Amino acid sequence: MLNQLPVWTIAFIFTFIFVLLCIAIYQSYNFIVKSFNKENKEYITIVDRLGSILPYWLPLLEGLQNFGQQILPDYPFSLMSIYKKTLMPIVIFYVTNPALAFIIFFVLYYLFVRTKSPVPNRPFIRFNVLQSILLFLINSLLGATFRALPIEFRMSLYGLMVCNTLFWFVLSTIVYSVIKSIEGKYAKIPVISQAVRIQIDNQL
């Protein structure tokens, strides 16, 4: 049924559902926080940890789009089969709907980054959302730069080495950030985390 609808209609429906989910999650979040009477904003709840993981899907999908699709076919078949069964359908949907990334980007910015955000100020979630946005922008810049290189270089051994390095940089930073979010600790990625801290401090 969805295949018969125009692309913009499908994108609008998914965006509307995403916004409703965000509102529902934060209404539940407010209820949980109030029920436990946690007045200290620095207290990191389970909802904070889980909510901090979700934004990292954006840079992950961007990294898989820019670098993963080129190098993953050269990896062992077992790894590629796992990728095809898990992440590949999401990546294909992400690639075929490029406007979705920018919609999610602006929704995250509106809900978490702005000083007059409509959602409660939770420093841990705000830090991770801002860091995921910065990783997304870095991935986009690296991907655009790599695609601008001559195709002869990109398909050569050195090009594949560069692509492989960029892919593992993206993957390692995201995995590290997700692990730190689960632990309830702030990630310390050189330069990137410092830039996020500076941005948050400037908004206070």
Side-chain angles (χ1 to χ4, degrees):
M1 181 178 178
L2 287 175
N3 294 333
Q4 299 175 356
L5 296 174
V7 176
W8 67 269
T9 306
I10 297 173
F12 177 78
I13 292 172
F14 278 105
T15 305
F16 183 72
I17 293 172
F18 177 76
V19 172
L20 287 179
L21 283 174
C22 288
I23 294 172
I25 288 171
Y26 272 91
Q27 290 295 334
S28 303
Y29 170 78
N30 284 334
F31 175 77
I32 293 172
V33 171
K34 289 178 181 178
S35 64
F36 283 100
N37 294 321
K38 298 298 183 181
E39 299 294 336
N40 186 7
K41 289 185 178 180
E42 295 298 326
Y43 180 80
I44 299 173
T45 64
I46 295 177
V47 179
D48 287 335
R49 300 181 188 192
L50 296 177
S52 298
I53 296 172
L54 296 177
Y56 288 106
W57 274 100
L58 189 61
L60 176 63
L61 294 174
E62 185 70 16
L64 289 172
Q65 175 191 355
N66 291 330
F67 312 114
Q69 294 186 100
Q70 184 169 344
I71 63 169
L72 283 176
D74 297 329
Y75 277 68
F77 179 76
S78 57
L79 184 64
M80 189 61 189
S81 62
I82 295 173
Y83 169 71
K84 285 183 177 179
K85 293 177 182 178
T86 54
L87 293 174
M88 193 171 183
I90 304 174
V91 174
I92 292 173
F93 179 78
Y94 180 82
V95 172
T96 54
N97 297 277
L100 189 63
F102 292 99
I103 292 171
I104 295 174
F105 171 82
F106 285 114
V107 168
L108 290 174
Y109 180 84
Y110 177 77
L111 292 178
F112 300 100
V113 180
R114 290 193 327 139
T115 51
K116 297 181 179 179
S117 173
V119 298
N121 180 24
R122 300 299 296 179
F124 189 69
I125 294 181
R126 190 176 186 184
F127 173 86
N128 283 284
V129 169
L130 196 54
Q131 185 165 260
S132 68
I133 289 175
L134 191 56
L135 287 172
F136 166 74
L137 295 175
I138 292 172
N139 289 345
S140 300
L141 180 61
L142 291 175
T145 304
F146 184 76
R147 286 192 297 271
L149 297 174
I151 190 169
E152 293 82 6
F153 174 78
R154 283 183 285 156
M155 301 306 295
S156 67
L157 176 62
Y158 296 108
L160 291 176
M161 289 173 61
V162 171
C163 186
N164 215 10
T165 303
L166 293 173
F167 172 73
W168 282 107
F169 164 75
V170 170
L171 193 62
S172 60
T173 52
I174 293 171
V175 170
Y176 168 74
S177 300
V178 169
I179 291 173
K180 286 297 182 181
S181 296
I182 295 172
E183 293 177 350
K185 299 178 181 178
Y186 288 89
K188 296 180 180 179
I189 304 173
V191 181
I192 296 175
S193 297
Q194 295 171 0
V196 173
R197 285 286 190 186
I198 292 171
Q199 176 66 22
I200 292 176
D201 292 341
N202 289 338
Q203 291 180 348
L204 294 178

